[in-house]
Amino acid sequence: MKIDMEYMDDSTVCDSVSSLVEGCRLPVHMTGTNDWPLAEIISIKDVQGSKCYYVHYVDFNKRLDEWVTEESLDTRKVHFPRKDVGTGTGVSTPKKISIGGGGSVPPPPMAVISRPSSPVNNSELLNGNAVLAAALQKKMNRKRKGPSLDNEDSQDGPVPLVPAMPGPRQSGSMVSHHDDIVTRMKNVEMIELGRHRLKPWYFAPYPQEMVNLPCIYICEFCLKYRKSRKCLERHLVKCNLRHPPGNEIYRKENISFFEIDGRKNKVYAQNLCLLAKLFLDHKTLYYDTDPFLFYVMTVFDNRGFHIVGYFSKEKESTEDYNVACILTMPPYQRKGYGKLLIEFSYELSKFEGKTGSPEKPLSDLGLLSYRSYWAQTILEILMSMKPVGENEKPQITINEICELTSIKKEDVISTLQNLNLINYYKGQYIITLSKEIIQSQYKAMETRKIRIDPKCLHWTPKDWGKRSKW
């Protein structure tokens, strides 16, 4: 259950920044803009005698969260948290967990990450160790059976959530609803992946000795992480991978897709989830990747196959999800690769003879990509239809659209409604395409330079239900 922090009704003029505490809300100058949106102070630290403030801009995505100095704060209108509620959301601080002999648990390779919570002024908790230990305890206590009564469509503010990452759970959804204090702040400054240096958007539970470094160096082929470029260079001499492990099931020109089994290539799958967590928020991250398949898209050059993005998929989905988690790496965004990933997921569904849908709720960027893909795909079908006879209009049913596209019925209907294409006339539903819609569709299709070619897909679906174990 989401518990919002309560604030005093009246704003207060703050005499000094020294009276500011975690949980205060006030206007803050957003770096790179002329705007002063309302922001919440998440954490405060001293840097060489000066205070720095980690702020979250209210109603903005968490990827814009940042450290600011006193000069960026407008103390003329400060909302202090109510004293009777405190500066937290009612979520208790995670404690170190001891198992067996009483010693602290060493961090497992993956961890539990869930929705952001209220701030905590404890530097020791701003790393993966406490989360990692909690993950191990949660895995031990979790049972794989029994339905979940959580509301899987709950949202925190105007931004939809992202489907969670692979891991054990009770229901078809991997969305977590338990706030973890340690995941509120970005903990990795920079990563280097191949030719790209990237600033992460969100928290990811890399080991503490890694997050204290100015940059984490990641092998772009096996995704193992190293402390320095020299360590990475030594690793590259020994690393014999030049493409993701697994089967190459698609290749056209320089684009390939590889299918990775989360059980057979566990370390790679875990490192992939860990990397993806840097750019995906509101997710649950576990270290059990066995029930999942990962489809990694790459571009090829003379140095090897470079990761562009990926999506994960349950081997068995009771909810007919054909995507559990999907990500296009930041250097390749806005280039059509996101829609290509989505198109490939539906191509797999066509081979399986099923309709599919992404696990919901979606992230803000994911929702935009899917809505755009659904609209373009459905309009492409409608515009290609021919009338059966003279002076007759083309006819098609919702079920026929689903069969042709493998898009689930609910998504087809919602897309047609969002486009205002369905009208009720004389006892039946009529789909009406305006000239503006048609022109917009032609323009959109011109920009989609890369498409999936089904002839280049060499893949046979497996019936995981008949297998005793993965």
Side-chain angles (χ1 to χ4, degrees):
M1 181 178 68
K2 179 183 150 200
I3 306 176
D4 289 327
M5 183 181 295
E6 296 184 35
Y7 289 86
M8 297 176 63
D9 295 334
D10 298 326
S11 60
T12 307
V13 175
C14 190
D15 297 332
S16 169
V17 291
S18 60
S19 60
L20 294 175
V21 296
E22 289 91 345
C24 285
R25 291 189 176 189
L26 72 166
V28 177
H29 178 234
M30 183 184 287
T31 302
T33 72
N34 295 323
D35 300 327
W36 291 74
L38 183 67
E40 178 184 342
I41 297 176
I42 305 299
S43 182
I44 303 174
K45 69 177 180 180
D46 287 313
V47 179
Q48 298 179 349
S50 299
K51 285 190 175 181
C52 290
Y53 303 83
Y54 191 84
V55 297
H56 166 66
Y57 298 102
V58 179
D59 294 334
F60 286 83
N61 193 283
K62 275 178 59 184
R63 56 178 168 266
L64 298 175
D65 294 2
E66 60 181 342
W67 286 100
V68 298
T69 57
E70 297 177 6
E71 292 76 17
S72 298
L73 307 179
D74 183 356
T75 57
R76 293 173 296 179
K77 195 173 183 181
V78 180
H79 299 264
F80 286 91
R82 290 170 59 98
K83 292 182 179 180
D84 56 337
V85 176
T87 58
T89 61
V91 181
S92 59
T93 303
K95 297 179 181 180
K96 291 185 178 179
I97 300 172
S98 297
I99 299 176
S104 60
V105 179
M110 303 299 280
V112 176
I113 305 298
S114 60
R115 291 171 53 189
S117 71
S118 62
V120 59
N121 190 19
N122 188 339
S123 59
E124 290 183 359
L125 291 177
L126 298 179
N127 60 69
N129 292 342
V131 172
L132 296 168
L136 184 59
Q137 183 65 34
K138 182 171 285 189
K139 177 174 171 61
M140 293 176 63
N141 294 336
R142 185 181 295 268
K143 294 182 179 180
R144 295 295 290 267
K145 296 182 179 180
S148 172
L149 299 178
D150 288 344
N151 177 11
E152 297 175 359
D153 291 325
S154 64
Q155 295 184 1
D156 185 7
V159 180
L161 308 184
V162 177
M165 303 184 83
R169 59 191 193 276
Q170 295 173 328
S171 69
S173 174
M174 291 182 287
V175 178
S176 173
H177 300 276
H178 305 288
D179 291 340
D180 290 331
I181 293 175
V182 297
T183 66
R184 192 82 188 263
M185 297 167 56
K186 302 173 191 175
N187 62 334
V188 177
E189 183 69 25
M190 187 84 67
I191 66 167
E192 185 171 297
L193 182 69
R195 293 178 175 177
H196 304 286
R197 277 207 161 197
L198 309 173
K199 291 200 73 170
W201 296 351
Y202 308 108
F203 174 95
Y206 281 92
Q208 180 62 28
E209 63 270 18
M210 305 299 292
V211 300
N212 289 330
L213 300 172
C215 183
I216 297 177
Y217 297 83
I218 300 175
C219 174
E220 63 176 327
F221 302 115
C222 72
L223 303 184
K224 291 181 179 178
Y225 44 87
R226 293 292 182 263
K227 293 182 179 181
S228 67
R229 183 178 280 112
K230 201 159 195 72
C231 291
L232 179 64
E233 289 171 355
R234 287 200 298 266
H235 165 79
L236 289 174
V237 173
K238 301 175 184 177
C239 184
N240 55 7
L241 282 180
R242 286 299 174 266
H243 59 76
N247 298 323
E248 184 181 12
I249 61 174
Y250 180 93
R251 181 187 293 190
K252 184 175 183 180
E253 297 175 352
N254 69 329
I255 294 177
S256 293
F257 279 85
F258 291 82
E259 182 184 61
I260 292 98
D261 190 321
R263 182 183 68 84
K264 294 180 180 178
N265 297 282
K266 193 183 296 286
V267 174
Y268 180 89
Q270 291 169 350
N271 285 332
L272 177 61
C273 293
L274 197 56
L275 171 64
K277 182 62 193 73
L278 292 169
F279 305 101
L280 292 173
D281 189 24
H282 300 292
K283 299 177 63 62
T284 302
L285 178 60
Y286 295 104
Y287 49 93
D288 179 12
T289 60
D290 289 15
F292 292 87
L293 297 168
F294 298 82
Y295 295 90
V296 179
M297 179 167 65
T298 65
V299 291
F300 174 78
D301 62 18
N302 57 2
R303 295 185 301 116
F305 295 79
H306 311 283
I307 181 171
V308 171
Y310 87 103
F311 65 89
S312 58
K313 178 180 180 178
E314 290 182 277
K315 293 174 180 176
E316 291 184 276
S317 174
T318 57
E319 304 292 334
D320 291 330
Y321 293 133
N322 62 356
V323 165
C325 172
I326 187 168
L327 171 70
T328 305
M329 297 299 293
Y332 299 97
Q333 292 179 358
R334 297 183 178 274
K335 296 181 180 179
Y337 291 114
K339 280 197 180 71
L340 202 67
L341 277 169
I342 296 173
E343 186 177 2
F344 189 78
S345 70
Y346 280 106
E347 202 59 48
L348 295 184
S349 295
K350 289 179 185 177
F351 269 63
E352 292 175 316
K354 300 177 181 177
T355 59
S357 182
E359 186 171 321
K360 299 175 182 69
L362 292 161
S363 68
D364 53 345
L365 297 178
L367 184 62
L368 289 173
S369 296
Y370 265 96
R371 278 182 175 171
S372 177
Y373 172 81
W374 289 331
Q376 290 181 16
T377 303
I378 294 170
L379 284 171
E380 194 173 23
I381 295 293
L382 297 178
M383 290 169 58
S384 66
M385 291 176 54
K386 305 295 182 185
V388 178
E390 293 183 6
N391 300 324
E392 290 187 11
K393 294 180 179 179
Q395 293 185 351
I396 192 171
T397 65
I398 297 293
N399 288 336
E400 287 172 341
I401 295 176
C402 295
E403 290 175 6
L404 291 169
T405 62
S406 281
I407 299 174
K408 205 168 184 180
K409 188 174 183 178
E410 291 81 357
D411 297 328
V412 171
I413 294 172
S414 67
T415 301
L416 293 173
Q417 290 173 338
N418 288 334
L419 293 173
N420 293 321
L421 297 183
I422 291 186
N423 298 288
Y424 191 72
Y425 180 71
K426 291 186 177 180
Q428 62 180 345
Y429 287 98
I430 307 246
I431 296 177
T432 306
L433 298 181
S434 65
K435 290 183 178 179
E436 291 76 13
I437 287 285
I438 294 174
Q439 291 173 355
S440 175
Q441 170 68 0
Y442 279 131
K443 188 176 180 180
M445 296 312 297
E446 287 176 1
T447 62
R448 287 184 66 179
K449 303 296 184 184
I450 48 177
R451 300 290 299 271
I452 293 297
D453 184 352
K455 297 177 182 177
C456 298
L457 176 59
H458 304 284
W459 180 71
T460 303
K462 297 182 180 67
D463 187 356
W464 297 98
K466 293 182 179 180
R467 298 180 173 224
S468 58
K469 61 179 182 179
W470 296 309

